[in-house]
Amino acid sequence: MTRRDFSTGLVIALGAATVAAPTFAEKEKTMKEIALEKLPYAEDALAPVISAQTIAFHYGKHHAGYVKTLNGLIAGTKYAELPLVEIVRLSAKEQAAAIFNNAAQIWNHTFYWESLAPVGKGGAPSAKLLKAVDAAFGSLDACRKALADAAVKRFGSGWAWLVANQGKLSVISTPNAETPVCDPATVPLAVVDVWEHAYYLDWQNRRADYAKALVDQLIDWNRVSARFE
Ligand code: MN
């Protein structure tokens, strides 16, 4: 290539760049991406109730997979401009099933990790929360039992939740990716993941034992109390 050819080529290339639409790489810089939120503890911090191996797969493969899939689905769409919770709510309303399933699973999983704390580190319910627990269930033990029972009774994959509605507590469960955060009047307080990937490596078919151990030993009551403020 002669100097002149090179020079001409360069001019043409620059000229083209000024009129062409942004490249994908350029567009990508301005697009928001949903993040895989950091775990609030080390992968081995919940053992032996939830082993490091379970968290390595559950967080590192399942949760991370939903993040990767969702970012691929929403790239270049109106959803890419929204915070995660609004992606969940809008995709539910529009029945955009693939976006909803992945977005809701991301929201539910981040909420799940943040509902848990290492044994002995979860503190206790605040006075305000305890009063609401007593009003709804009679005692904290009864509240724990109701949450564990809902986890056992959920048929197939899903989630068991402690929620508040206008200050009143209740336990509910949702199938698959469904989430109470779709309803702005409901305040989720704590959740138990009852998809088999959450417990099968550690507890195999014993979902009841996993649920009981989790609600008795791993709930982060400090954080649950803060969610109820
Ligand atoms: Mn899960």
Side-chain angles (χ1 to χ4, degrees):
M1 183 185 278
T2 66
R3 189 187 181 100
R4 184 185 170 129
D5 287 339
F6 178 78
S7 162
T8 307
L10 187 64
V11 167
I12 288 164
L14 285 173
T18 57
V19 294
T23 63
F24 182 72
E26 285 164 342
K27 220 167 134 187
E28 213 174 20
K29 280 182 205 157
T30 63
M31 287 189 318
K32 289 175 195 158
E33 287 225 331
I34 297 302
L36 175 63
E37 298 294 338
K38 280 207 162 76
L39 279 180
Y41 32 71
E43 286 193 355
D44 61 357
L46 305 182
V49 179
I50 300 174
S51 66
Q53 192 193 18
T54 288
I55 294 190
F57 281 101
H58 195 180
Y59 174 75
K61 302 292 180 191
H62 292 274
H63 186 171
Y66 296 128
V67 172
K68 189 164 184 263
T69 303
L70 181 69
N71 281 321
L73 288 169
I74 66 175
T77 75
K78 63 185 176 184
Y79 287 99
E81 304 302 316
L82 301 175
L84 181 63
V85 70
E86 296 306 329
I87 296 175
V88 173
R89 288 171 177 164
L90 183 63
S91 60
K93 199 171 139 197
E94 295 189 336
Q95 300 187 319
I99 291 176
F100 173 79
N101 285 335
N102 285 280
Q105 282 295 79
I106 297 165
W107 196 94
N108 292 350
H109 279 93
T110 302
F111 194 84
Y112 170 70
W113 302 124
E114 294 183 351
S115 293
L116 306 179
V119 176
K121 297 279 170 64
S126 66
K128 181 183 169 185
L129 179 62
L130 202 53
K131 202 176 159 192
V133 162
D134 286 342
F137 303 100
S139 69
L140 185 58
D141 277 350
C143 173
R144 286 189 167 113
K145 190 174 181 310
L147 186 56
D149 284 351
V152 173
K153 284 181 187 148
R154 163 52 44 197
F155 185 78
S157 295
W159 304 83
W161 304 84
L162 177 66
V163 299
N165 210 301
Q166 297 190 321
K168 283 195 174 169
L169 303 191
S170 61
V171 161
I172 61 169
S173 76
T174 57
N176 303 316
E178 284 179 32
T179 174
V181 85
C182 282
D183 172 14
T186 300
V187 181
L189 298 177
V191 71
V192 184
D193 186 341
V194 291
W195 285 57
E196 286 185 347
H197 64 223
Y199 60 89
Y200 223 82
L201 292 174
D202 301 322
W203 300 90
Q204 295 77 48
N205 60 313
R206 291 173 289 132
R207 185 195 284 193
D209 293 341
Y210 152 75
K212 184 174 178 358
L214 185 154
V215 302
D216 286 350
Q217 300 177 53
L218 299 183
I219 296 288
D220 187 343
W221 290 106
N222 293 327
R223 204 185 289 259
V224 173
S225 300
R227 289 167 174 164
F228 188 60
E229 284 309 306

